[in-house]
Amino acid sequence: MKKQVDFTIGLCFLLQSVLLVDIIALIYKMLVINLKNIINEICSLVKECGKVVLNADRAKMAIDIKSGVTDLVTEYDKKIQGQLQLGLKKILPEAKFIGEEGSNDELTDDGYAFVVDPIDGTTNFIKDYHHSAISVALLKGKDVVAGIVYNPYLDELFSAIKGEGAFCNGNKTSVSSQPMSKALVLFGTSPYDKDLFPKTIEVLSEYFNQALDIRRSGSAALDLCTVACGRAELYFELQVSPWDFAAGKLIVEESGGVVTTLDGAPLSFDGKTTILAKNNVI
Ligand code: IPD
Ligand code: CA
Ligand code: CA
């Protein structure tokens, strides 16, 4: 009799734990599916913003100076930021909003926040250089859980969900496995603080001596995506802001790469920072 009772209790425990595992799996799946829906909606939104970049009347556009004569903002940066702020509010109303072009919420330790660069590569945009992107990251606390970078000129959309891999136009992206001797090294000039240039050149010279060649593109977000999909091996810059790297960082990491400060420390979203992104061989 006792054996039968023990057996029944054991069976109940087993069923309960199976049920619990199922419920946890279901909740997890729902969260992931929600994030996928959110990502899809954000992708449509950034593609709409991409049309604003492509159709801009650049000859007549208003250009203002921000922190200095090299730090510019156009009416289209502001227009796209407005469009993103409105659209993202509809997609995830509880999320805070931090964008390059002002009127920002505070980033807190919990809850969702969008970190947005309406046009990364504004100088390229002004010059019609055809290498700029719209960058949207979704943070939970200080952790990026989703990132989207869209280059409207090539119609290339990079996206990543934390733990789910990264993609370019639906194809999985992976960092390259080339060593430094075969590396293409990308760098940013930190153009809004020219005092940093001598140090940039110092670091760059070291890499240049070891690598295949160097490139400067004018968009930090696209530099990160270029490393993510293995077209280059390393990217560094001495001063970037959270909106420059938030989405691209996750895209590199989900492609198997590593993103830190120049000293190898974790990146902070609290202000300006140095950045080093690379494949996992270098
Ligand atoms: C800039 C670009 C540039 C990088 C700067 C960024 P913006 O962003 O990403 O490549 O060198 O550090 O600030 O001002 O064009 O959005
Ligand atoms: Ca930027
Ligand atoms: Ca910008």
Side-chain angles (χ1 to χ4, degrees), residues 1-51:
M1 180 66 175
K2 186 172 179 306
K3 263 191 185 163
Q4 207 174 355
V5 172
D6 283 351
F7 175 75
T8 315
I9 291 171
L11 196 66
C12 281
F13 267 126
L14 188 71
L15 283 175
Q16 255 181 354
S17 30
V18 167
L19 206 66
L20 199 67
V21 169
D22 276 354
I23 290 169
I24 291 169
L26 191 72
I27 292 172
Y28 176 75
K29 220 171 158 191
M30 276 166 63
L31 287 176
V32 170
I33 285 170
N34 273 345
L35 211 48
K36 275 193 179 143
N37 287 345
I38 285 171
I39 284 285
N40 287 341
E41 287 183 59
I42 301 172
C43 287
S44 308
L45 180 64
V46 296
K47 284 200 165 191
E48 281 306 308
C49 295
K51 289 182 194 158

Side-chain angles (χ1 to χ4, degrees), residues 99 128 140 156 185 188 192 268 273:
D128 203 19
K140 181 130 198 340
E156 272 192 336
V185 169
Y192 312 135
S268 151
T273 174

Side-chain angles (χ1 to χ4, degrees), residues 45-259:
L45 180 64
V46 296
K47 284 200 165 191
E48 281 306 308
C49 295
K51 289 182 194 158
V52 178
V53 169
L54 297 181
N55 299 327
D57 187 354
R58 292 184 18 276
K60 285 197 206 131
M61 76 185 163
I63 303 175
D64 292 325
I65 291 170
K66 294 199 289 180
S67 63
V69 285
T70 55
D71 188 4
L72 306 171
V73 59
T74 73
E75 64 180 90
Y76 293 103
D77 295 72
K78 293 176 191 167
K79 182 177 176 168
I80 292 173
Q81 173 143 331
Q83 212 166 312
L84 286 172
Q85 191 159 10
L86 218 67
L88 293 171
K89 190 95 207 146
K90 284 188 195 144
I91 295 171
L92 195 60
E94 72 262 39
K96 303 223 160 96
F97 183 89
I98 291 120
E100 180 174 9
E101 309 311 340
S103 73
N104 289 331
D105 294 323
E106 279 278 305
L107 200 60
T108 51
D109 285 340
D110 52 11
Y112 284 108
F114 287 110
V115 177
V116 160
D117 195 336
I119 301 181
D120 183 59
T122 294
T123 307
N124 282 351
F125 172 65
I126 292 169
K127 293 283 180 188
D128 203 19
Y129 194 80
H130 286 214
H131 191 79
S132 307
I134 294 142
S135 176
V136 176
L138 178 62
L139 273 67
K140 181 130 198 340
K142 302 260 170 100
D143 213 20
V144 189
V145 292
I148 289 160
V149 174
Y150 180 55
N151 177 351
Y153 299 103
L154 296 178
D155 192 23
E156 272 192 336
L157 188 135
F158 294 87
S159 65
I161 294 178
K162 189 160 188 184
E164 301 267 307
F167 299 85
C168 175
N169 288 354
N171 301 313
K172 205 165 178 354
T173 52
S174 300
V175 292
S176 90
S177 50
Q178 300 283 354
M180 195 47 156
S181 57
K182 293 190 176 149
L184 204 51
V185 169
L186 313 179
F187 70 104
T189 51
S190 316
Y192 312 135
D193 186 350
K194 295 209 173 187
D195 290 347
L196 294 169
F197 196 57
K199 172 79 177 157
T200 300
I201 292 300
E202 202 181 293
V203 177
L204 186 63
S205 306
E206 262 184 51
Y207 283 132
F208 181 59
N209 286 333
Q210 303 166 46
L212 203 57
D213 205 352
I214 52 174
R215 300 282 185 270
R216 157 62 169 159
S217 85
S219 162
L222 288 176
D223 286 343
L224 287 164
C225 293
T226 305
V227 171
C229 66
R231 295 174 191 161
E233 280 63 35
L234 187 147
Y235 156 67
F236 82 91
E237 186 155 359
L238 298 191
Q239 191 182 82
V240 284
S241 295
W243 40 78
D244 298 316
F245 67 77
K249 172 186 186 290
L250 182 69
I251 293 167
V252 173
E253 289 170 347
E254 287 298 321
S255 303
V258 184
V259 187

